Amino acid sequence: MDFIPSLPVFLAFSLALLLLAITPGPDMTLWISRSLRDGRAIGLMTLAGTSFGISIHTLLVAFGISALIVASPTAFMLLKTGGAAYLLWLALQAIRHGSNFVIKADGDVVVSKKGAFLNGLWVNLLNPKVIIFFMTFLPQFVTASDPHVTGKLIFLGLWSIILSLPIGIGIVYGADFMSSWLQANRKVLRGIDYTFAGVFSIFAVKIFMTQAK
């Protein structure tokens, strides 16, 4: 199987990826906030959305489209402006409605699973830092002259999803486990709403300040 890197490269990539998977970012913040407010199922669907976004980023990098986006000042400005605006919208929603998004007694939730999936997808896709990261991180583990470079990039990108998924699931389950206690302590939950709003706002500013080069 020519698309699988050598064992040393594979192990080095996996170790680096594990370290990155536990580093907080917009995706992780969104998983936690959705799990706390809407329950485990919504948290998992949000995680599925961000993971699907990573698969799209992988294909964009593998086929060179990301490089074209970053090379175009207009496209890059639209991308990062859209990403920053979306995160600011999430911050506003956390302040306005955060603690009101709770699990109903009959098991239904206010936020739909489809909506949670799309939430995760857009936060991931509209983050130019993710594009730049994949453009600079993945190519370090392949050789440009390798005739199978496209296949290896796709393999590494998909492996990043598989390897990071258990960590994401653990975070969602942990947040869901804490939700009952937090629902009984509304002031703490409201404080978390404002914390997430602040974190989303910080990420929005960072994204908007991201430079292509």
Side-chain angles (χ1 to χ4, degrees):
M1 292 182 285
D2 297 324
F3 60 87
I4 298 179
S6 64
L7 183 59
V9 171
F10 180 74
L11 293 177
F13 177 80
S14 298
L15 177 60
L17 193 64
L18 285 173
L19 295 175
L20 291 167
I22 61 176
T23 302
D27 289 358
M28 184 185 294
T29 304
L30 191 62
W31 306 338
I32 297 173
S33 67
R34 288 294 180 266
S35 300
L36 286 174
R37 292 180 298 190
D38 305 313
R40 183 173 59 204
I42 293 299
L44 290 174
M45 286 304 295
T46 305
L47 171 61
T50 58
S51 298
F52 187 68
I54 291 175
S55 69
I56 294 176
H57 281 300
T58 296
L59 294 176
L60 289 175
V61 170
F63 293 103
I65 299 176
S66 290
L68 296 177
I69 294 175
V70 176
S72 169
T74 301
F76 190 76
M77 175 60 73
L78 290 173
L79 178 68
K80 71 177 185 178
T81 300
Y86 190 65
L87 285 178
L88 286 175
W89 180 80
L90 289 176
L92 181 61
Q93 292 298 102
I95 293 174
R96 292 182 60 193
H97 307 295
S99 296
N100 295 324
F101 286 120
V102 295
I103 301 177
K104 295 181 179 179
D106 60 2
D108 294 332
V109 292
V110 175
V111 178
S112 70
K113 292 181 179 180
K114 179 182 178 181
F117 179 87
L118 293 176
N119 240 336
L121 177 63
W122 292 130
V123 164
N124 187 271
L125 289 182
L126 292 174
N127 187 351
K129 284 182 175 291
V130 178
I131 289 183
I132 294 175
F133 168 75
F134 269 81
M135 285 182 63
T136 57
F137 183 67
L138 286 182
Q140 294 182 43
F141 298 91
V142 296
T143 304
S145 59
D146 189 336
H148 307 289
V149 63
T150 300
K152 287 182 177 178
L153 286 171
I154 294 174
F155 172 80
L156 290 174
L158 295 180
W159 173 242
S160 72
I161 298 174
I162 295 172
L163 191 61
S164 302
L165 207 54
I167 296 175
I169 292 174
I171 291 171
V172 168
Y173 270 73
D176 180 59
F177 177 77
M178 290 290 294
S179 63
S180 297
W181 179 83
L182 290 170
Q183 293 294 341
N185 295 268
R186 305 292 292 181
K187 289 184 178 180
V188 176
L189 182 60
R190 195 60 181 144
I192 290 177
D193 290 337
Y194 280 96
T195 299
F196 279 124
V199 171
F200 280 131
S201 299
I202 291 171
F203 282 131
V205 173
K206 284 187 174 182
I207 285 175
F208 188 74
M209 297 301 292
T210 299
Q211 299 296 317
K213 297 180 180 180

